[in-house]
Amino acid sequence: MDIILKYFPDLSEKQRGQYLALNDLYHEWNSKINVISRKDIDALYEHHVLHSLAIAKSIRFRPGTKVLDLGTGGGFPGIPLAIMFPETRFKLIDGTGKKILVVKEVTKAIGLENCEAEQLRGENESGKYDFVVSRAVMPLPDLVKLVKKNIGNTQHNSLPNGLLCLKGGNVAEEVKPFKNIADITDISTIFNEEWFKQKYLIYIPL
């Protein structure tokens, strides 16, 4: 939890309590349903919560913004972002029912009211959103093709509507088709922990 306060010292008491509660909740649920790899669960705050919050360092969603988290898995990046932006509406979808069960139980346990979760594949989501966020669910060209239909026309934020995607490794090939419009942030310039080397936030306006 200290690692979150290191980069986000101005959290409200409620937000601190919600982030703090994630540790026990994910450890408990992970023992029943494996939503985070066993070797990774002890690095929950660095590898999952803080990683998700790289998006919050690049954009401050304005109140009323609608965000879709596609392929949320156990709730990342959606849940950490929903805690950070309580006046933004989040919908978290995943094709795996067990994962969505965990998301629903965690959001209920921490009283997260701006967040809904549904078992749904991306191609079946028809709603319109300001942004789609995602963590490495598929190659970037496939992801862009899939979510274009979900990006609304009305602008509410300083960044034009589009896709915010967290990726690791060599992203040069994936980004090639979008090289004139993509904005790539090296997350190790935001968070100085060793783990964030070769981790990127890719923004593509759609």
Side-chain angles (χ1 to χ4, degrees):
M1 177 65 189
D2 289 347
I3 201 170
I4 307 303
L5 296 173
K6 173 182 172 182
Y7 293 104
F8 298 93
D10 300 326
L11 297 174
S12 69
E13 282 304 313
K14 182 177 181 180
Q15 287 171 317
R16 287 174 189 233
Q18 288 173 320
Y19 284 124
L20 190 60
L22 294 180
N23 187 57
D24 286 351
L25 285 165
Y26 276 108
H27 273 83
E28 182 189 340
W29 276 104
N30 221 51
S31 66
K32 304 173 195 168
I33 298 169
N34 193 18
V35 290
I36 295 169
S37 75
R38 298 274 190 250
K39 63 179 173 44
D40 226 21
I41 186 71
D42 290 328
L44 175 76
Y45 284 108
E46 183 178 338
H47 295 184
H48 298 278
V49 181
L50 190 61
H51 188 211
S52 300
L53 292 174
I55 292 170
K57 286 291 189 186
S58 293
I59 179 170
R60 305 290 302 172
F61 294 124
R62 290 187 179 147
T65 298
K66 291 177 71 181
V67 179
L68 174 69
D69 177 3
L70 186 138
T72 189
F76 302 99
I79 287 176
L81 290 172
I83 295 171
M84 185 63 68
F85 301 107
E87 294 182 5
T88 294
R89 297 290 316 168
F90 288 85
K91 183 173 181 181
L92 282 52
I93 65 170
D94 198 280
T96 306
K98 287 190 296 187
K99 291 177 179 177
I100 288 298
L101 169 67
V102 174
V103 172
K104 286 181 174 178
E105 292 298 327
V106 169
T107 54
K108 189 165 76 176
I110 64 172
L112 204 53
E113 292 168 4
N114 58 328
C115 187
E116 62 170 308
E118 185 179 355
Q119 182 184 355
L120 196 64
R121 293 174 59 84
E123 49 268 42
N124 298 323
E125 171 58 62
S126 58
K128 296 287 186 187
Y129 301 86
D130 302 301
F131 292 94
V132 175
V133 297
S134 192
R135 249 192 3 156
V137 291
M138 63 182 72
L140 202 55
D142 298 341
L143 185 56
V144 169
K145 202 182 294 180
L146 182 62
V147 303
K148 259 186 171 170
K149 69 184 186 320
N150 300 115
I151 303 294
N153 295 322
T154 309
Q155 307 291 334
H156 297 105
N157 291 272
S158 54
L159 273 186
N161 295 355
L163 171 68
L164 290 155
C165 182
L166 295 160
K167 286 265 181 185
N170 186 352
V171 296
E173 273 305 309
E174 287 191 57
V175 174
K176 248 187 198 166
F178 315 103
K179 63 179 187 293
N180 297 327
I181 58 167
D183 183 54
I184 304 165
T185 302
D186 183 338
I187 296 176
S188 67
T189 64
I190 306 172
F191 305 138
N192 58 25
E193 285 71 22
E194 183 74 22
W195 188 80
F196 291 104
K197 288 191 171 159
Q198 285 203 300
K199 301 280 192 300
Y200 303 95
L201 171 61
I202 301 166
Y203 162 62
I204 299 175
L206 293 173

